[in-house]
């Protein structure tokens, strides 16, 4: 994931819903009431929430951010993160939730959730964001697959609205036209921004009469798109959201064309399968065992723990010690558990969320981190 700075200086927002700055502080849960549920596809709903006056400020968001939900299912707490699909300019807070097989929360949201129900929702988080500026005259390329369209939708709508001289190329992969989330809304956007928005639907199980648009979004197709529809190095920013294979393919192709890595912003929309693809057992076995005294700081409060470098993660140890530290996926993807090492050092098992410069600045995913020095201080407030 990706801290997105390429829009240059921040615009004083046209809307009351845009944060003035990216908030690094840990999110907190509040109870929000559902005001609307829209069936986007047979297995995807979008859900809008009411914001009481006292929470409007807390839930201001930047296009691309996500909300984390917490719900108890038969005594088991489940947390899931879903990207916000609305634009702050619409004055709405809405997420899209695609039902996944065996998914407790997504099945509940798609089948049982009703208008008027209340959910525990963490304030917006995430650094896969765009901060449009009316003075920009840019071309942006968004590449999404399946429900990866959700944060991209918020970004695309916001960019087109705020930047009258910018263009967007959207490459969007799905199985068939029936599974295209936001199909109508995308068509409306296309009508509204006829000369500034190009949408390329790539369908893996529906032949549209074009080889380029038939199949999965892979290296070959991305190479062709780049050759035909945009000048790769001139594009101001790329937004990639989808499964890891698609993101890896896009990064590979773009980097091979000389695109600056800093322009490539990406977010995995699922951790499913990611952990299976990486074997860290060797890292664990070879890591030297160090006894460590770890302090976590959250909202100015300190929690102290005795840990070992080969035991629990810092997040799990902090939760066991009673600290209400933020997390969602526990799979190195969502970034909710991000914190900064202020003293000592830590080792991450996996990282699909932090950018290189964040890691260099000392940020870690606490759900993946183990102490590697005798004293470690980690802050969620930085
Ligand atoms: S909880 Fe999602 S990256 Fe750690």
């Amino acid at each position: 994931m990706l801290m997105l700075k390429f829009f240059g200086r921040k615009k004083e927002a046209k809307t009351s819903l845009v944060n003035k700055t990216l908030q690094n502080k840990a999110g907190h849960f509040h109870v929000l009431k559902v005001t609307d549920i829209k069936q986007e596809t047979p297995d995807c709903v979008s859900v809008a929430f009411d914001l009481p006056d006292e929470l409007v400020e807390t839930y201001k968001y930047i296009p691309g951010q996500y909300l984390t939900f917490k719900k108890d299912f038969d005594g088991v707490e489940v947390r899931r993160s879903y990207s916000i699909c609305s634009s702050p300019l619409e004055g709405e807070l809405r997420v899209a939730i695609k039902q996944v097989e065996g998914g407790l929360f997504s099945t509940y949201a798609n089948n049982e959730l009703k208008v008027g129900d209340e959910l525990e929702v963490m304030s917006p988080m995430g650094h896969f964001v765009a901060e449009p500026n009316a003075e920009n005259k840019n071309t942006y390329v968004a590449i999404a697959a399946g429900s990866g369209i959700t944060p991209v939708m918020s970004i695309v709508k916001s960019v087109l609205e705020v930047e009258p001289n910018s263009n967007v190329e959207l490459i969007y992969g799905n199985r068939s036209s029936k599974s295209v989330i936001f199909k109508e809304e995308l068509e409306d956007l296309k009508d509204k921004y006829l000369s500034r928005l190009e949408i390329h639907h790539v369908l893996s199980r529906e032949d549209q009469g074009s080889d380029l648009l038939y199949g999965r979004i892979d290296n070959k197709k991305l190479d062709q798109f780049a050759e035909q529809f945009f000048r790769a190095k001139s594009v101001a920013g790329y937004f990639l959201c989808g499964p890891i294979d698609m993101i890896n393919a896009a990064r590979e192709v773009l980097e091979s064309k000389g695109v600056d890595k800093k322009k490539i912003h990406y977010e995995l929309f699922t951790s499913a399968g990611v952990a299976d693809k990486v074997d860290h057992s060797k890292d664990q076995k070879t890591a030297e065992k160090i006894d460590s005294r770890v302090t976590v700081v959250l909202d100015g409060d300190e929690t102290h723990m005795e840990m070992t470098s080969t035991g629990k993660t810092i997040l799990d140890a902090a939760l066991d010690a009673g600290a209400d530290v933020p997390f969602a996926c526990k799979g190195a993807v969502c970034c909710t558990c991000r914190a900064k090492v202020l003293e000592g050092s830590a080792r991450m098992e996996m990282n699909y969320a932090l950018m290189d410069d964040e890691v260099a600045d000392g940020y870690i995913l606490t759900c993946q981190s183990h102490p590697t020095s005798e004293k470690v201080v980690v802050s969620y407030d930085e």
Side-chain angles (χ1 to χ4, degrees):
M1 238 192 281
L2 43 60
M3 189 72 189
L4 187 92
K5 293 286 190 193
F6 73 88
F7 281 106
R9 109 183 134 72
K10 287 169 187 148
K11 179 182 190 298
E12 199 56 42
K14 276 205 256 195
T15 166
S16 63
L17 277 178
V18 177
N19 269 322
K20 282 190 179 151
T21 57
L22 277 175
Q23 298 292 310
N24 288 325
K25 294 199 183 258
H28 293 281
F29 283 99
H30 301 271
V31 174
L32 299 184
K33 190 178 273 186
V34 173
T35 55
D36 185 50
I37 299 177
K38 189 174 166 198
Q39 196 76 44
E40 298 288 351
T41 65
D43 61 356
C44 178
V45 289
S46 67
V47 182
F49 297 93
D50 180 44
L51 283 177
D53 289 348
E54 66 274 17
L55 290 180
V56 167
E57 192 67 26
T58 308
Y59 283 81
K60 282 180 178 174
Y61 63 93
I62 306 173
Q65 287 194 306
Y66 63 86
L67 300 177
T68 299
F69 297 83
K70 178 168 75 169
K71 184 166 172 59
D72 187 283
F73 291 93
D74 294 328
V76 178
E77 182 191 289
V78 170
R79 293 185 181 207
R80 292 289 180 272
S81 299
Y82 297 100
S83 293
I84 298 168
C85 56
S86 51
S87 154
L89 304 161
E90 296 169 310
E92 191 178 45
L93 180 66
R94 182 183 285 269
V95 296
I97 305 175
K98 183 172 181 180
Q99 186 168 356
V100 296
E101 208 180 319
L104 280 175
F105 192 94
S106 66
T107 301
Y108 160 77
N110 273 269
N111 298 292
E112 292 176 49
L113 190 67
K114 303 182 301 297
V115 170
D117 285 352
E118 294 184 326
L119 286 173
E120 280 192 83
V121 187
M122 193 188 283
S123 43
M125 296 190 78
H127 297 87
F128 178 65
V129 296
E131 295 178 270
N133 183 326
E135 289 158 28
N136 286 343
K137 290 182 187 171
N138 291 333
T139 294
Y140 304 105
V141 173
I143 305 171
S147 54
I149 190 67
T150 313
V152 166
M153 193 69 186
S154 182
I155 289 169
V156 168
K157 282 190 282 190
S158 305
V159 166
L160 290 168
E161 177 76 24
V162 176
E163 299 187 4
N165 298 310
S166 291
N167 303 306
V168 176
E169 293 280 341
L170 170 62
I171 302 165
Y172 181 19
N174 278 286
R175 281 189 191 171
S176 66
S177 45
K178 274 193 192 136
S179 54
V180 174
I181 302 172
F182 308 127
K183 191 161 180 267
E184 279 175 25
E185 198 178 350
L186 284 169
E187 280 166 13
D188 290 346
L189 273 183
K190 178 67 192 146
D191 288 342
K192 186 174 175 185
Y193 301 107
L194 207 52
S195 62
R196 298 198 290 122
L197 172 64
E198 207 57 64
I199 304 176
H200 309 276
H201 286 288
V202 180
L203 303 177
S204 61
R205 298 196 188 162
E206 197 176 305
D207 190 347
Q208 304 174 82
S210 150
D211 284 350
L212 183 59
L213 301 178
Y214 186 39
R216 286 180 179 275
I217 299 175
D218 56 13
N219 297 53
K220 191 174 162 208
K221 282 197 196 308
L222 289 167
D223 193 62
Q224 286 175 296
F225 273 116
E227 293 302 317
Q228 289 182 35
F229 296 102
F230 50 90
R231 288 170 43 222
K233 280 170 87 170
S234 307
V235 169
Y238 292 88
F239 298 91
L240 322 174
C241 189
I244 192 164
D245 291 343
M246 185 206 84
I247 285 175
N248 286 343
R251 291 175 68 193
E252 222 173 273
V253 169
L254 296 174
E255 284 173 30
S256 75
K257 293 187 178 298
V259 173
D260 184 344
K261 278 185 184 180
K262 287 189 181 140
K263 290 182 178 177
I264 306 172
H265 312 285
Y266 62 92
E267 182 174 74
L268 295 181
F269 70 68
T270 176
S271 59
V274 170
D276 299 343
K277 292 186 178 184
V278 186
D279 178 9
H280 292 279
S281 54
K282 189 164 151 269
D283 298 354
Q284 291 279 14
K285 278 179 207 147
T286 54
E288 187 193 352
K289 187 174 175 190
I290 296 168
D291 292 322
S292 182
R293 183 166 169 72
V294 178
T295 300
V296 298
V297 183
L298 175 69
D299 296 334
D301 292 334
E302 294 186 356
T303 303
H304 303 280
M305 295 117 46
E306 300 293 338
M307 297 182 64
T308 69
S309 55
T310 53
K312 289 177 185 170
T313 62
I314 292 173
L315 177 80
D316 280 338
L319 290 169
D320 288 352
D324 189 20
V325 286
F327 70 92
C329 73
K330 282 196 177 180
V333 172
C334 75
C335 211
T336 309
C337 66
R338 177 184 187 261
K340 188 171 188 179
V341 177
L342 300 182
E343 205 177 323
S345 58
R347 167 182 63 86
M348 277 192 283
E349 287 179 33
M350 294 192 291
N351 170 29
Y352 298 100
L354 297 172
M355 289 187 78
D356 293 348
D357 56 352
E358 290 178 279
V359 175
D361 284 345
Y363 287 98
I364 55 169
L365 301 173
T366 53
C367 74
Q368 300 296 317
S369 296
H370 303 268
T372 52
S373 58
E374 288 176 7
K375 186 177 179 201
V376 178
V377 178
V378 170
S379 175
Y380 288 89
D381 296 344
E382 296 292 319

